[in-house]
Amino acid sequence: GEGDNLILANGKGKQLEVKIISLSNSEIICEIIEEIPMNEPERKVSLYLAILKKENFELVCQKATELGVSIIVPIITERTIKQNIKIDRLEKINKEASEQAGLSIVPKLMPITNFKDAVQESIKNTETTILFDQSGQTLKNTYQNIGIFVGPEGGFTQEEIMYAKENGALITSIGNTTLRGETAAIVT
């Protein structure tokens, strides 16, 4: 109501605390009180996530957003079952999760990309590219700009793992247990 303070964010890094001066059905007039410093993670993380079945992809996008992921790239691997996603629904989920987490930037949702192109993009654009698979080594988390790949139901094929490795990706493991795709993405 009139006289209340609220925080407005544009989703691109700017947040303002404002006071509502007047309300009507067609507009709200506010007075800017102050600009609020950005609440952003120290690391830039790009999540390359195989499209998961049911609502699991949406759940991972929501949780990854809350944890501060910068970019989400849906990927199709040899074992990916579901081949499409509802972009507009995911953008809404990411926006709401960003607001809930108090972040000033909504992660960028990229178009669906095939695995090999995604590996090449990550190798080119990040300090380190990491593909999580049980066969990998334990990760030392000291990187500032990373690309993380999480596989589909059934995991990555040996050919995909070798392709990523040959192109400079680290093959790492979260542990010895087999995790569901959505769990692995959230844990990483």
Side-chain angles (χ1 to χ4, degrees):
E2 289 182 14
D4 288 345
N5 289 5
L6 62 121
I7 296 174
L8 300 177
N10 67 359
K12 298 177 182 171
K14 188 157 187 151
Q15 295 186 121
L16 301 172
E17 182 178 357
V18 299
K19 182 176 186 173
I20 299 174
I21 303 300
S22 67
L23 294 166
S24 72
N25 288 339
S26 61
E27 70 179 358
I28 299 174
I29 298 176
C30 298
E31 174 186 347
I32 297 172
I33 296 171
E34 69 177 319
E35 185 170 338
I36 298 172
M38 291 186 359
N39 181 19
E40 297 307 315
E42 294 177 16
R43 291 187 176 102
K44 179 182 178 196
V45 177
S46 301
L47 176 61
Y48 295 82
L49 177 63
I51 300 173
L52 303 169
K53 293 189 289 185
K54 301 180 184 174
E55 299 84 28
N56 295 334
F57 193 86
E58 292 175 359
L59 174 69
V60 173
C61 285
Q62 178 187 49
K63 299 307 175 191
T65 297
E66 290 174 14
L67 294 169
V69 166
S70 304
I71 298 171
I72 299 171
V73 183
I75 61 172
I76 294 180
T77 70
E78 290 182 33
R79 293 183 179 153
T80 300
I81 296 169
K82 186 175 178 184
Q83 300 288 310
N84 55 22
I85 54 176
K86 296 177 182 172
I87 297 288
D88 55 338
R89 178 166 166 73
L90 285 168
E91 287 174 339
K92 181 181 178 194
I93 288 170
N94 290 349
K95 180 180 177 289
E96 290 172 356
S98 182
E99 290 171 1
Q100 186 276 325
L103 298 169
S104 55
I105 295 179
V106 178
K108 188 172 184 179
L109 183 62
M110 303 302 287
I112 296 172
T113 306
N114 73 57
F115 176 78
K116 288 183 178 180
D117 289 345
V119 169
Q120 290 300 319
E121 176 185 307
S122 181
I123 295 291
K124 185 174 90 177
N125 295 323
T126 63
E127 174 187 355
T128 303
T129 294
I130 300 168
L131 184 136
F132 282 102
D133 187 75
Q134 272 185 308
S135 66
Q137 63 192 17
T138 302
L139 176 64
K140 294 177 182 152
N141 193 359
T142 60
Y143 305 106
Q144 294 299 310
N145 181 4
I146 61 178
I148 296 175
F149 283 71
V150 177
E153 291 86 355
F156 292 109
T157 63
Q158 284 303 310
E159 291 79 20
E160 289 169 334
I161 293 169
M162 289 307 300
Y163 179 84
K165 192 176 197 175
E166 289 167 359
N167 282 278
L170 296 174
I171 310 302
T172 63
S173 174
I174 302 169
N176 295 329
T177 58
T178 302
L179 302 176
R180 293 177 57 95
E182 64 274 17
T183 306
I186 293 167
V187 167
T188 58

